[in-house]
Amino acid sequence: MKGVNIGILAVQGDVAENISATRMAMDDLGIEGVVTEVKNPEQISDLDGLIIPGGESIVIGTLSLVNGSLKKIKEKIASGMPVLGTCAGMILLSKKVKDRVVGETEQPLLDYLDIKIERNTFGRQKNSFEADISLEKIGIPSFRGVFIRAPSVVDAGKNVEILSKIDEKIVAVKQGNIIGTSFHPELTEDLSIHKYFVNLVQKKN
Ligand code: GLN
């Protein structure tokens, strides 16, 4: 059986943390394969799954547009490749975005998740927090969410599954093979979300 090739989009943000969380998840599950640091668009066609890390969504989106990665990722999403977007990564996956303070941002997006995102819902960097959340629908009853200038989902289409909420705000969603979280699973010791994703990629493969 061929191993899986899971890419971590390495434009900006917490790339290293996602590489090690994904590697550890694969080792724990006994799933063979490689974790690829994706620095150029040519690497995208060989991927079986992709993680788009948290960071700054305008920077990640603009650089990925300019180097041609956005187009390649869109094509792979259309062909069914699973993607996990955390924080800025979820913003990038969405169809509509506004910022809580500055309003419309008109930033480059992957235009897939049928959701409307509000950036910086919970405030600025100093308002970062951790909270216990639950993602029962994907078999994760409790998870420590790390929220850093986190967005929330203010509107979700019928085909979007809501995986988790905090104070009535939607903080994790799934649509087909695409998952978005407002928080940073790569910044905790708990590998459950990365394991769920690696399993999804292997099944699809
Ligand atoms: N607020 C950031 C943005 O809009 C996301 C923050 C994060 O990824 N931690 O891009």
Side-chain angles (χ1 to χ4, degrees), residues 57-58 61-62 65 70 91-92 106-110:
S57 58
I58 295 184
T62 306
L65 175 71
L70 273 197
I91 296 173
L92 218 66
E106 288 177 14
Q107 59 194 95
L109 299 172
L110 286 162

Side-chain angles (χ1 to χ4, degrees), residues 40-110:
N40 66 63
E42 288 71 43
Q43 295 169 290
I44 295 169
S45 31
D46 290 336
L47 299 178
D48 301 307
L50 175 71
I51 297 181
I52 306 177
E56 172 51 57
S57 58
I58 295 184
V59 174
I60 299 174
T62 306
L63 295 176
S64 301
L65 175 71
V66 171
N67 80 359
S69 296
L70 273 197
K71 187 169 172 285
K72 293 261 183 197
I73 298 170
K74 276 187 194 178
E75 287 166 9
K76 290 288 282 187
I77 289 176
S79 75
M81 177 182 73
V83 182
L84 168 65
T86 73
C87 203
M90 173 167 80
I91 296 173
L92 218 66
L93 283 164
S94 69
K95 280 185 181 290
K96 285 206 183 106
V97 177
K98 76 171 180 52
D99 187 278
R100 191 175 56 89
V101 179
V102 303
E104 302 304 326
T105 51
E106 288 177 14
Q107 59 194 95
L109 299 172
L110 286 162

Side-chain angles (χ1 to χ4, degrees), residues 4-8 22 26 34-36 47 49-51 197-198 201:
V4 293
N5 179 359
I6 299 186
I8 313 296
T22 307
M26 283 164 73
V34 293
V35 181
T36 302
L47 299 178
L50 175 71
I51 297 181
F197 182 70
V198 169
V201 174

Side-chain angles (χ1 to χ4, degrees), residues 122-203:
F122 301 97
R124 294 172 182 274
Q125 190 80 15
K126 68 175 169 43
N127 307 110
S128 300
F129 62 99
E130 291 188 18
D132 289 319
I133 54 168
S134 165
L135 301 96
E136 300 269 4
K137 281 188 192 156
I138 57 168
I140 303 172
S142 104
F143 194 86
R144 188 77 178 158
V146 177
F147 295 81
I148 303 168
R149 287 184 301 115
S152 74
V153 176
V154 288
D155 215 348
K158 283 195 294 291
N159 43 353
V160 177
E161 264 186 280
I162 293 166
L163 300 181
S164 186
K165 283 187 181 179
I166 177 166
D167 297 338
E168 292 310 303
K169 289 185 160 67
I170 301 168
V171 293
V173 293
K174 180 170 187 286
Q175 181 181 338
N177 288 327
I178 311 298
I179 301 164
T181 69
S182 297
F183 50 92
H184 291 262
E186 70 284 2
L187 297 183
T188 57
E189 304 279 288
D190 188 340
L191 296 172
S192 346
I193 291 180
H194 282 78
K195 283 184 180 173
Y196 176 81
F197 182 70
V198 169
N199 265 323
L200 189 70
V201 174
Q202 202 210 21
K203 273 190 220 133

